Amino acid sequence: MIDPGLLLNNLLTPPVLFFTLGMAAVFCKSDLEIPQPLPKLFSLYLLFAIGFKGGTELRHSGLTGEVVAGLGVGLLMACIIPLYVYFILRSKLDAANSAAIAATYGSISAVTFIAAETFLGKLGIPYGGHMVAAMALMESPAIILGVMLYRWQMTKGDGDPADWGELFREAFFNGSVFLLMGSLLIGMITGESGKESLEPVVVDFFKGALCFFLLDMGLVAARRLKDLMRAGSFLLGFAIWAPLLNAAVGIALAKLAGLGIGDALLLAVLGAGASYIAVPAAMRHSIPEANPSIYVPMALAITFPFNVLIGIPLYLSIIQWLWS
Amino acid sequence: MIDPGLLLNNLLTPPVLFFTLGMAAVFCKSDLEIPQPLPKLFSLYLLFAIGFKGGTELRHSGLTGEVVAGLGVGLLMACIIPLYVYFILRSKLDAANSAAIAATYGSISAVTFIAAETFLGKLGIPYGGHMVAAMALMESPAIILGVMLYRWQMTKGDGDPADWGELFREAFFNGSVFLLMGSLLIGMITGESGKESLEPVVVDFFKGALCFFLLDMGLVAARRLKDLMRAGSFLLGFAIWAPLLNAAVGIALAKLAGLGIGDALLLAVLGAGASYIAVPAAMRHSIPEANPSIYVPMALAITFPFNVLIGIPLYLSIIQWLWS
Amino acid sequence: MIDPGLLLNNLLTPPVLFFTLGMAAVFCKSDLEIPQPLPKLFSLYLLFAIGFKGGTELRHSGLTGEVVAGLGVGLLMACIIPLYVYFILRSKLDAANSAAIAATYGSISAVTFIAAETFLGKLGIPYGGHMVAAMALMESPAIILGVMLYRWQMTKGDGDPADWGELFREAFFNGSVFLLMGSLLIGMITGESGKESLEPVVVDFFKGALCFFLLDMGLVAARRLKDLMRAGSFLLGFAIWAPLLNAAVGIALAKLAGLGIGDALLLAVLGAGASYIAVPAAMRHSIPEANPSIYVPMALAITFPFNVLIGIPLYLSIIQWLWS
Amino acid sequence: MRPIKKVEIICASVEVRKILTALEKLEVSGYTLIRDAEGMGDRGRRLADEVTDVFKNSYILVCCSPEMAEKISQKVQPSLKKFGGVCLVSDAQWIRVGEDHPERKEP
Amino acid sequence: MRPIKKVEIICASVEVRKILTALEKLEVSGYTLIRDAEGMGDRGRRLADEVTDVFKNSYILVCCSPEMAEKISQKVQPSLKKFGGVCLVSDAQWIRVGEDHPERKEP
Amino acid sequence: MRPIKKVEIICASVEVRKILTALEKLEVSGYTLIRDAEGMGDRGRRLADEVTDVFKNSYILVCCSPEMAEKISQKVQPSLKKFGGVCLVSDAQWIRVGEDHPERKEP
Ligand SMILES: Nc1ncnc2c1ncn2[C@@H]1O[C@H](COP(=O)(O)O)[C@@H](O)[C@H]1O
Ligand SMILES: Nc1ncnc2c1ncn2[C@@H]1O[C@H](COP(=O)(O)O)[C@@H](O)[C@H]1O
Ligand SMILES: Nc1ncnc2c1ncn2[C@@H]1O[C@H](COP(=O)(O)O)[C@@H](O)[C@H]1O
Ligand code: NA
Ligand code: NA
Ligand code: NA
């Protein structure tokens, strides 16, 4: 079903190639590394740039029906995915790990989203700037839901009341969510004039920073592959078919909501992506009983490469076929 | 007196909004942070860029009467402010802290200066590149004067002779002063051709880096606000009215010297700004008896936000009213 | 023989001036510093940018006779230099240090190469993008040869067989070699389209990053000058005349191979440069008996400044005189 | 020169804030924090190579009286239990200066 | 509370990988690594100011039994001899939590 | 294996240069420096979050004889008094390699 032209078109872009280079470095036992906090610089930058750009575009387009549809469908998806993921996993896993993985897959992966945007840009397929807003909105609900599912299971509710405030803080004021949301807002407030002044940094510089960040992601993902052996084959498989399932849900919702091809791909990718930044940080505090050596490598070392290398062109092939 | 249009025009620019975002992050207890040494990268970059740009413009304009006037008035101001600040403070404070605060307010704040330049740029008001040179010249005298006042007070002069050499080194070869001066010189030497080759980095990249740095400044300033409670209400108030007074001195001198509106604003801002980089570093060595938990937060958490948010448009309103 | 115009033309460019500024900072005892890992960021960036640019140009030109000649001559030189350097040094030094210095001078200095490219660019002299590939190829052989010479000398071959695999990994998959080679490959694969998308980062941003990195190199080189006193005057002298000798070999080979002026300068500079990144890292593991406080400062604090300040214009003068 | 207890805590970076707050509530006279540490233990490797601090440790040093050392080690137990880490107590001599330092003088 | 040996190793950064692998082969229960340290010793200054890690040290801490401490110090001798560094052993009390932490439960 | 004194100094980062120079003047055989440390003490918090190093600490470790430990702690007193910090002395065993390392051979 996947169009080989699209696949190649995706695989042979600099960002994807740099990701592969990073993985290759680990397999060749090269000592190449990007020392901390440089990866943090690029991750902060990407959130800032994508948020700001999305904001200026949202300001430009205004709150049209299309925008509302995109945001609504995104939010809906962010509430459905954690639920079914949780119940699927509960058959094999304890509550803590199920809930943490549910939150991971229910939330989004900003870099996967950026890769999809870049891919659309390359193919010249238009998409709405408001999808960034959808992304920003979709980051937190899965965190809340995951923790609610877990606490509901534990019934006893050993939580002192302050806990919920803490949880919402974790979910909404988490560093990466905060920067993304804040940049989006600032983009909306400053609009055209802001865009002009930041264009060189936010647009021109973007692809290069993405390459660098993906190089680092490749290094980290490859290093984590070993940890995954511990996770067992059920979870290894899950890390591949969960994005497929979630993308399918995203595509179905996009079709129902009547989104365009570009927006549909972005929605599929928001569904398919699994968070390895915001959610792990939040889960660590809120469900310390879950094992981060399971949910982080699943998202980072399998789902992320799968989406970036194969998933994005695959979802687009399907969408093009369904939409035509 | 302040023109609300100007105020809004200033408040709604990306740099100022990112500063506010940083403060908001701390108030919301977000865990957003920009880990060291990334803020150092941006601070080095800003000094490099502003110095280099100023140097190329100085080369372009040559040593005209206007330039000499700007530099002269700046130096004069840098020698007056520490003196009166010191004597005002001595009524309430010991010599060490008075001298350190005098040096802090007598010196300049590069980022405040940059914010003023950006603001002028946005309004299309011209200003002279030589004002950067004035800034570079104004950074050190306050340090020397502050320490001289303090040592003079202590009379006994426990200082071994080497001390003075050390002091001058601190004042003139301080990392940030050195980089600013050096970049200025290199800008002057390479002129047009240098400007062309570095334009993308020095100009295009500038606003983005400024936003990032101000995001960090917002974070740090908000964290320091608590420390200020210790300092007592006299010093809290001082951190607001000192910039007003010093800006007034700057405006008066600018008027006397017949500077244009843009240069007058920059001079006012050089007066109003308080140093939180070069001076604290120097004071820590030269007046260790002074308490950095007083003079740093005053400059960083009160005077800086005051100038950036309200001061700059306020001073410009006053100047426009006086000059018209 | 050196053309004073060329010399000045080189000395008065921003990169060279920033290098001088860095050295001046140390001599003035300024506390200016560029904290780690910021220099690593710039060094990674430079390797990435130069590799990628070279790759796209290589793709553009294809594998012409000129390209093959450039690569062949480069490789040849990389195999000759370590041999004669080793035997020259053996008269005065033990095998370990001789071998390590031979590897250092047989390998290349990417930043010296970049400085030469920048210099050619400024003078408008054309050169081939494939010379970057030559550089990438020349980085490893000297490492292998140096270690082989050393082990051959030690005869006993205390090395367990795994040692050689380790050595080749060090030589070819060394972080900086790997990134340079990888970026070159990615540039070749993505060609025009990749170039366009990364142009702003790879081209526009380049000179600024170079200035920053050279500022840091100036700081480090000046700090290391003291260490050199230990090395004795023979090695001090060697660090000056070795680049001259090696450049001469490069120029002779370029003449024989019929390269153009630009490529001839680059080849000379590849010969003249001494590695202070890839080789020390590899030597530390492979010849731990050699003293890094000898071979690193020789390359970094003498040969590098010599090449960048005087060598490059000198070699070009000679080439222009020979080629005309 | 005064004999004291040296309490060294290696904890998950995500817990640093809470632990420092706990130390301040116990009114320790001071502490020192080295933020970036990697490690290996029962919970596997923590390589500190991600943008999130989930796989990172921090090192905290507190010099205090034996009683305070006791209190601290009680206090941090739950965090170390949940998030992993080590708490060591050893003996040292504190060569501390008098309390008459200048920054104490309130302005 | 259990008396243990605290082994502190300061080694050349280029050797860290090998030393950690050696520790894992000895099956230590854990270790902590602080990657960036500068220093001075018989081999001169290591300022950690270059892009290569040739002049940089790292700090490794292992808490273990006296026998393991003995083994470790034997094991790292050759590296310290070739590349410089220090190996210290001292006494401490390990206030360690029980082994029943959640992350151990395999999924 | 040789019993030695472990001197640990936590000092204001602005003082590091002076203290290291002092150590070198005392002719210590070596020292190790961890540059970035945060902390809290009588002079309030030092969060190391500014571009200047005014609110930052550093950690210095010296292994030496008891006499040298005495000299060092005397020497650093004034700095610790003025700029804050801690000086700890404790006992350890130095498992040090012989002095016959290769880099000593002058070329
Ligand atoms: N035996 C040990 N020696 C030194 N550090 C340890 C030891 N065990 C654990 N650690 C540190 O504590 C962290 C968490 O340990 P654990 O809870 O055992 O996974 C590890 O990542 C190490 O940094
Ligand atoms: N006496 C000492 N005290 C603390 N650290 C030391 C000492 N001697 C050496 N070191 C550390 O070990 C590294 C290598 O030492 P060396 O092998 O003596 O050159 C130095 O760079 C220091 O970081
Ligand atoms: N009791 C303590 N335990 C550990 N570190 C301390 C202690 N007291 C002070 N420090 C460290 O020394 C620095 C300066 O302390 P002070 O002079 O008390 O302000 C603090 O920022 C801490 O890093
Ligand atoms: Na998702
Ligand atoms: Na001022
Ligand atoms: Na060479």
Side-chain angles (χ1 to χ4, degrees), chain C residues 94-100 147 150-151 154 156 158 163 282-295, chain E residues 43 78 81-83, chain F residues 100-107:
Chain C
D94 60 4
N97 282 301
S98 302
V147 176
Y150 176 63
R151 292 193 184 169
M154 300 284 113
K156 50 192 168 188
D158 69 339
D163 257 357
M283 287 304 113
R284 209 63 186 104
H285 289 289
S286 312
I287 315 185
E289 295 76 15
N291 185 353
S293 303
I294 295 177
Y295 55 85
Chain E
R43 289 165 184 77
K81 200 158 187 164
K82 264 197 183 163
F83 297 91
Chain F
D100 55 330
H101 56 76
E103 289 172 26
R104 269 257 181 97
K105 291 177 208 149
E106 291 303 289

Side-chain angles (χ1 to χ4, degrees), chain D residues 43-84:
Chain D
R43 289 165 185 76
R45 292 212 191 92
R46 298 193 175 157
L47 296 177
D49 62 349
E50 274 167 279
V51 292
T52 132
D53 289 346
V54 166
F55 297 100
K56 206 177 95 177
N57 295 317
S58 294
Y59 171 97
I60 300 169
L61 168 67
V62 190
C63 309
C64 57
S65 65
E67 300 77 44
M68 181 59 89
E70 182 60 31
K71 277 194 224 163
I72 294 174
S73 42
Q74 290 308 321
K75 191 81 176 194
V76 298
Q77 292 277 11
S79 165
L80 299 187
K81 202 157 186 164
K82 266 196 182 164
F83 296 92

Side-chain angles (χ1 to χ4, degrees), chain C residues 36 39-40 43 213 220 223-224 230 276-277 280-281 284-285 288-289 292-293 296 300, chain E residues 12 14-15 17-18 43-56 82-83:
Chain C
Q36 285 301 352
K40 278 185 192 158
S43 118
F213 189 65
V220 177
R223 278 185 217 131
R224 290 293 175 285
R230 288 192 193 177
Y276 43 81
I277 301 186
R284 209 63 186 104
H285 289 289
E289 295 76 15
S293 303
V296 175
L300 186 63
Chain E
V14 286
E15 284 291 285
R17 253 197 213 199
K18 277 185 216 160
R43 289 165 184 77
R45 292 213 190 92
R46 297 192 176 158
L47 296 177
D49 62 350
E50 273 168 279
V51 292
T52 132
D53 289 346
V54 166
F55 296 100
K56 206 177 94 177
K82 264 197 183 163
F83 297 91

Side-chain angles (χ1 to χ4, degrees), chain E residues 10-11 38-46 57 80 83-86, chain F residues 28-33 61-64 94 96 101:
Chain E
I10 295 158
C11 68
E38 300 169 41
M40 194 271 284
D42 298 339
R43 289 165 184 77
R45 292 213 190 92
R46 297 192 176 158
N57 295 317
L80 299 186
F83 297 91
V86 175
Chain F
V28 299
S29 75
Y31 55 76
T32 297
L33 166 70
L61 167 68
V62 190
C63 309
C64 55
W94 186 342
R96 192 154 197 203
H101 56 76

